Amino acid sequence: MKILLLNGTIVGKKTRTLLDEIEKYIQQLPTEHTTKVVALENYELQFVDGRPAEEYNDDMRRLIHEIEEADAYVIATPVFQGSIPGTLKNVFDAVSPLAMRYKPVSIVANGGTLQHHLVVENQLKPILNYFRCMVTPNYVYTHTNHFSTQGELIDEDVRNRLKEMTVVFDQYMQMSRELEPDK
């Protein structure tokens, strides 16, 4: 399967650190998968305003295509001001509602306090439910204390939760192979 590892921000490195860790665990799964890290800072993003996809610039069209062609996703997001970043929401607004249907998604998020995990429950999951994604139940939320001052992941419990999430994600990928979405 083609797994897209989406870094939902254009700043910082903690979410990328989490995606790098997950990518290692995906490579250890018994089934072979192709992974691609999509870092939004590498795209010239445009505000989505309802126009057809072909009217956006080359980078936006390429980003939309990469997302829509993936078979599964790991979405990493920081929490800014008690919310997901506008760049990530903008990307969701660009994608067809049918494109992610019945595709597995795992979520990792990072915030400054423990309470910001509710952003995953109250904002990100409803968006993914709108797309009818198969969202794994065991997302991983991290906060500042899980990282060194250089942005390296230093918490073994978080590593274990990421490994467990990857195993569940693999099961969801197996389930999704048997579903035929109505398109």
Side-chain angles (χ1 to χ4, degrees):
M1 294 191 96
K2 293 183 289 188
I3 303 170
L4 190 119
L5 305 169
L6 179 61
N7 188 353
T9 184
I10 58 172
V11 297
K13 36 186 201 176
K14 291 176 185 164
T15 51
R16 177 58 191 254
T17 298
L18 293 168
L19 287 176
D20 290 344
E21 194 77 15
I22 292 165
E23 189 171 30
K24 287 190 308 192
Y25 302 139
I26 290 171
Q27 301 307 325
Q28 296 170 4
L29 291 171
T31 308
E32 190 172 323
H33 302 284
T34 303
T35 58
K36 178 173 184 165
V37 176
V38 170
L40 295 181
E41 72 263 18
N42 295 332
Y43 294 82
E44 185 183 325
L45 300 174
Q46 290 180 285
F47 283 110
V48 174
D49 57 12
R51 68 185 116 155
E54 61 271 4
E55 292 182 18
Y56 289 102
N57 66 28
D58 290 343
D59 272 2
M60 283 297 290
R61 288 195 312 269
R62 184 168 49 96
L63 178 60
I64 293 166
H65 178 75
E66 288 172 347
I67 292 169
E68 292 182 350
E69 292 301 310
D71 298 312
Y73 311 89
V74 177
I75 298 172
T77 184
V79 175
F80 295 143
Q81 306 293 341
S83 182
I84 63 172
T87 52
L88 180 58
K89 177 61 169 90
N90 191 62
V91 168
F92 286 134
D93 289 344
V95 175
S96 164
L98 298 175
M100 296 173 70
R101 186 172 284 191
Y102 305 127
K103 293 181 182 179
V105 178
S106 279
I107 301 167
V108 291
N110 179 67
T113 70
L114 290 172
Q115 293 78 10
H116 281 138
H117 77 90
L118 293 173
V119 169
V120 173
E121 294 291 341
N122 297 328
Q123 293 179 12
L124 194 50
K125 280 187 171 183
I127 292 168
L128 296 171
N129 286 334
Y130 169 76
F131 283 106
R132 295 187 191 168
C133 296
M134 296 172 56
V135 180
T136 61
N138 58 336
Y139 66 87
V140 175
Y141 178 80
T142 62
H143 61 83
T144 306
N145 295 345
H146 294 133
F147 296 88
S148 70
T149 55
Q150 292 78 32
E152 299 163 335
L153 182 61
I154 58 172
D155 190 281
E156 260 328 289
D157 181 55
V158 170
R159 280 193 178 89
N160 290 332
R161 289 187 288 134
L162 291 171
K163 287 178 191 173
E164 181 181 303
M165 183 190 76
T166 304
V167 169
V168 173
F169 182 58
D170 188 44
Q171 293 296 309
Y172 272 57
M173 287 189 288
Q174 290 178 38
M175 285 190 302
S176 75
R177 287 184 183 108
E178 298 177 21
L179 295 173
E180 284 295 320
D182 294 333
K183 290 191 177 182

